[in-house]
Amino acid sequence: MSIRFTTKARRGMVALTAVAGLALGVAGCGGGGDDDKKPETSASPSKGGGSNPSAQEGTDDLLAELKGEDGLILRITSAQRDSGGFVTVSGEMKNDGDEAARVSARTSGDETEIVRHGTSLGGATLVDSASKKRYYVLRDTDGRPLTTTSMPRIKPGDSIPVFMQFPAPPTSTNEVSFQLPTFASATLQISG
């Protein structure tokens, strides 16, 4: 059974690499017409009072806190460049409201391929202003987004871990704008 899994995993990584290459090519197309759809708002500052962006790798330092609907807050603790040519954004979704809340289906974005797999964070993008490129969430060979999916209703005060994986911008790019439908935008420092 492990041989079958290894073969399947290997095929998935080859397909994922191909999808990443396509995403990089597509990210450079289109002239950024989507930029006008969502107003640019800033994320609230870290409550830690001055987190050190260079010390983010492997820690729970807060890179950004983005306010969303119904008291939901996305707290990003890591934007890590991986050796495979990916950037993984990690953190937690917290319910800061007084009632149980569910992450909006709009966070999945409007791309049919992603939406058909249910609620996810598949609508997230990274924007590299210097290169004028937008990077979309990666997908596996079945079209499922490489993000947290099927998120439960979150009780007041509770949080759930979340992640999103993107093609990596050029190594010269260390700062990107993170955008997720229904949440404020934020600037992230990429480590690694």
Side-chain angles (χ1 to χ4, degrees):
M1 180 155 172
S2 64
I3 293 173
R4 202 169 90 196
F5 175 76
T6 303
T7 303
K8 186 175 182 180
R10 192 175 307 135
R11 280 185 296 193
M13 287 307 295
V14 169
L16 183 60
T17 303
V19 169
L22 287 173
L24 283 172
V26 170
C29 301
D34 292 343
D35 293 341
D36 297 333
K37 288 184 182 176
K38 182 176 177 190
E40 188 73 24
T41 57
S42 63
S44 62
S46 167
K47 292 182 182 175
S51 68
N52 182 358
S54 63
Q56 51 184 283
E57 183 176 324
T59 68
D60 287 335
D61 286 348
L62 186 62
L63 297 183
E65 188 172 86
L66 294 74
K67 295 187 188 264
E69 298 176 334
D70 301 325
L72 291 177
I73 296 175
L74 175 59
R75 302 184 70 190
I76 298 175
T77 56
S78 171
Q80 179 69 41
R81 188 183 302 270
D82 300 325
S83 61
F86 312 113
V87 168
T88 303
V89 175
S90 303
E92 68 178 12
M93 186 73 68
K94 182 177 181 181
N95 183 353
D96 205 30
D98 296 330
E99 296 182 19
R102 190 172 299 279
V103 177
S104 171
R106 291 182 288 161
T107 61
S108 299
D110 56 8
E111 202 171 323
T112 306
E113 184 72 20
I114 290 177
V115 172
R116 74 183 180 112
H117 292 288
T119 303
S120 70
L121 303 176
T125 59
L126 297 180
V127 177
D128 176 1
S129 298
S131 299
K132 297 182 179 169
K133 289 189 177 182
R134 180 182 303 263
Y135 297 91
Y136 295 91
V137 168
L138 292 169
R139 306 163 209 185
D140 67 12
T141 55
D142 294 324
R144 286 186 294 264
L146 298 182
T147 72
T148 305
T149 59
S150 304
M151 292 161 281
R153 182 176 294 274
I154 305 171
K155 296 177 183 174
D158 284 357
S159 60
I160 58 171
V162 296
F163 81 97
M164 293 144 276
Q165 198 166 49
F166 302 89
T171 54
S172 59
T173 299
N174 295 319
E175 186 175 279
V176 291
S177 174
F178 173 84
Q179 299 172 349
L180 178 67
T182 76
F183 284 84
S185 298
T187 300
L188 301 180
Q189 296 291 324
I190 298 175
S191 62

